[in-house]
Amino acid sequence: MTISLIPLPYAQDALEPHISAKTLEIHHGAHHKTYVDKLNAAIAGTPNADKSVDEITKSASGPLFNNAAQTWNHGFYWHSMSPTKTAPSGALAAAIEKDFGSLDALLEALSNEAVNHFASGWAWLVVDGGTLKVISTHDAGCPITTDVNPLLTIDVWEHAYYIDQMNKRPAYVKAVLENLINWDFAGENFDRGTAWTYPA
């Protein structure tokens, strides 16, 4: 099957003024699309041609892993944000209180992980062994290769923010955490108890 570049779950300008339409045009329409195109080229005519992005990500290595994992990571990242402000609720809100003490403490942990991550990568809120944790992965690193369940992510590759914030990663992270986090998506991932799957 052919892996698709999934559409953004909102209009290209929907995250303004925090993330510009120009950033999403390039980030989604060029960066994410390139990963998808390279993945499709790499799997054509191979046993991976009939596998999902998730399956390839979990089994591949080298350039094949990089393109599959970045396809997955970006799809997950788009859904981790929302133009409509949300808040944790239900079981997720209770888990945040239990494991971090407060939402503010969780947001501080996510900010520290994202801002201080060296070079390119991703900051994640995950469930690990029944406990909420904040982690980061380098480059194309993807949590679905381990036993954790990712709930949301922040992309800290420079192309995620350079057009809008230049080299000011802290300003980008602050804007995402304060205005764009899709807690409804995180709650769905928490309640389901298994990792999100990249749409076929």
Side-chain angles (χ1 to χ4, degrees):
M1 62 183 173
T2 300
I3 305 299
S4 298
L5 173 66
I6 62 172
L8 292 170
Y10 30 73
Q12 200 169 77
D13 62 354
L15 303 184
E16 291 186 337
H18 314 294
I19 295 177
S20 68
K22 175 56 79 174
T23 288
L24 286 185
E25 176 189 346
I26 295 172
H27 196 177
H28 175 261
H31 287 283
H32 191 184
K33 184 178 185 299
T34 297
Y35 292 124
V36 172
D37 290 346
K38 287 184 175 180
L39 178 58
N40 280 315
I43 64 176
T46 75
N48 285 313
D50 293 323
K51 293 182 180 178
S52 67
V53 174
D54 307 63
E55 290 170 322
I56 299 169
T57 299
K58 291 175 182 178
S59 63
S61 60
L64 181 59
F65 168 79
N66 289 338
N67 287 299
Q70 286 290 74
T71 295
W72 194 97
N73 288 350
H74 281 87
F76 190 83
Y77 170 63
W78 309 134
H79 286 83
S80 293
M81 297 184 291
S82 169
T84 303
K85 199 154 188 175
T86 60
S89 60
L92 176 58
I96 291 171
E97 189 71 24
K98 175 177 73 72
D99 296 331
F100 286 92
S102 68
L103 177 59
D104 285 344
L106 166 57
L107 293 175
E108 182 178 2
L110 269 169
S111 176
N112 288 337
E113 195 74 26
V115 169
N116 296 315
H117 181 85
F118 182 73
S120 300
W122 304 81
W124 307 84
L125 175 63
V126 303
V127 180
D128 183 4
T131 301
L132 293 178
K133 294 181 180 177
V134 169
I135 65 170
S136 58
T137 59
H138 291 288
D139 301 324
C142 181
I144 67 169
T145 61
T146 68
D147 292 331
V148 304
N149 177 22
L151 304 185
L152 60 85
T153 194
I154 303 171
D155 186 346
V156 293
W157 286 63
E158 281 194 339
H159 60 243
Y161 57 87
Y162 207 84
I163 290 173
D164 300 327
Q165 302 288 1
M166 298 299 288
N167 62 324
K168 301 180 182 70
R169 185 192 289 182
Y172 155 73
V173 171
K174 184 174 189 288
V176 171
L177 289 176
E178 291 185 357
N179 302 283
L180 300 178
I181 289 294
N182 187 351
W183 288 108
D184 292 343
F185 178 66
E188 291 168 6
N189 294 326
F190 184 83
D191 292 342
R192 187 178 58 253
T194 56
W196 177 82
T197 56
Y198 190 92

